[in-house]
Amino acid sequence: MAHTICIANQKGGVGKTTTAINLSAALAVSGGKTLLVDCDPQANATTGLGIDKTSIDRNLYHGMIGQAGVLEIIVDTEVNDLAMIPSRVELIGFEVEMMADDHREKVLRSLLSRCADGYDYIILDCPPSLSLLTLNAMVAADSVLIPLQSEFYALEGLGQLLQTIKRIKQRMNPSLKIEGILLTMFDRRTNLAGQVAENAEAYFKDMVFKTRIPRTVRLGEAPSYGKPIIFYDPSSPGSESYKALAVEIMNGHRSSR
């Protein structure tokens, strides 16, 4: 059975999709058969892995409203052992169409249960909001990975996200854990980044991953070429950091948090 990790933070621009793409690729290259699920109607993870959205007949939306089975919407990527369920803008309609459904928050879990045995890891890339799509991802997940940008307002809003996770754990997914907090866009040359790291580690302790994702131009360039950083620039600091993160996860960084 796959270990399912939801990557979530209601703030935009913190590195969710960058982490989803590059962690998925690093896990696959490390020998873990991986499925990346693009739960964001903006579909940046889809294009970031080089998939042409206009050429896809069916995507996550069709699976979640019951118009397609999960195996019909999984596509291969150029990375060995990494498959994907792509997204497109029509996924926006899911929230409206399922609003009256009594089981609307469990749709993704039900869909993925039909393919989970075929993977070691399932990575869920969430939209930058605490929406029904994000709720579905958290209900479907075993754990939540929280990217935290190394900036002044980094911790603002994190409390709300942690409260949301706590409520979902109490009411809908008792086994949900926090995989860890990942410091992203980290610039070791600045005092601010160091202060954010110190504050995070002082408050959240072992919940913070040892790996820190650096702020680099190459990480920003890679999606425009449809490639994970480990293929776009294999020896770059960004590539090395995501490979290190994959090792942390595969070695069981998570605990009973």
Side-chain angles (χ1 to χ4, degrees):
M1 179 69 74
H3 177 56
T4 302
I5 303 172
C6 162
I7 300 178
N9 190 324
Q10 75 271 27
K11 291 184 70 174
V14 299
K16 283 189 302 297
T17 299
T18 297
T19 296
I21 292 171
N22 292 299
L23 173 59
S24 296
L27 287 168
V29 167
S30 299
K33 193 172 182 184
T34 304
L35 176 68
L36 172 59
V37 184
D38 191 346
C39 302
D40 188 347
Q42 296 181 74
N44 291 333
T46 300
T47 54
L49 272 179
I51 295 171
D52 179 6
K53 291 181 290 188
T54 62
S55 68
I56 300 168
D57 292 328
R58 294 180 176 182
N59 56 67
L60 181 61
Y61 168 75
H62 299 96
M64 291 186 75
I65 65 169
Q67 288 187 358
V70 68
L71 298 181
E72 298 176 71
I73 58 176
I74 295 174
V75 298
D76 291 327
T77 74
E78 293 183 1
V79 181
N80 288 338
D81 288 328
L82 176 58
M84 179 173 206
I85 297 180
S87 175
R88 216 163 54 181
V89 68
E90 58 260 47
L91 186 58
I92 293 172
F94 167 76
E95 305 217 4
V96 176
E97 293 181 40
M98 299 300 291
M99 195 57 67
D101 193 301
D102 289 341
H103 303 287
R104 58 188 176 273
E105 74 281 355
K106 300 175 183 175
V107 175
L108 184 60
R109 181 167 70 184
S110 176
L111 182 72
L112 294 178
S113 68
R114 298 163 205 157
C115 70
D117 286 342
Y119 298 94
D120 298 302
Y121 297 95
I122 297 177
I123 306 297
L124 311 176
D125 184 32
C126 293
S129 62
L130 297 177
S131 62
L132 182 58
L133 286 165
T134 301
L135 178 60
N136 262 266
M138 289 186 183
V139 171
D142 298 306
S143 60
V144 182
L145 189 156
I146 304 170
L148 190 68
Q149 188 175 356
S150 303
E151 63 166 24
F152 184 70
Y153 293 109
L155 299 176
E156 191 174 281
L158 189 55
Q160 181 187 0
L161 178 60
L162 293 173
Q163 283 300 314
T164 298
I165 294 169
K166 184 178 179 180
R167 286 195 296 269
I168 291 170
K169 182 180 176 71
Q170 289 172 340
R171 301 175 188 175
M172 292 175 249
N173 186 359
S175 62
L176 185 65
K177 297 179 175 63
I178 295 177
E179 186 78 28
I181 294 171
L182 176 68
L183 291 169
T184 61
M185 305 178 191
F186 188 84
D187 187 345
R188 65 179 65 253
R189 298 170 299 179
T190 67
N191 291 332
L192 178 59
Q195 190 63 53
V196 171
E198 284 182 24
N199 290 345
E201 288 171 349
Y203 191 76
F204 298 109
K205 298 182 171 50
D206 67 336
M207 288 169 60
V208 182
F209 285 103
K210 292 182 176 63
T211 301
R212 297 172 184 178
I213 308 301
R215 183 188 292 277
T216 70
V217 172
R218 304 298 271 175
L219 266 175
E221 288 175 348
S224 64
Y225 291 87
K227 294 180 182 294
I229 189 65
I230 60 175
F231 291 100
Y232 178 66
D233 192 351
S235 61
S236 67
S239 176
E240 294 300 324
S241 65
Y242 276 110
K243 285 188 282 189
L245 176 64
V247 169
E248 273 199 75
I249 287 174
M250 295 178 88
N251 286 343
H253 170 270
R254 64 188 183 280
S255 64
S256 56
R257 289 187 276 270

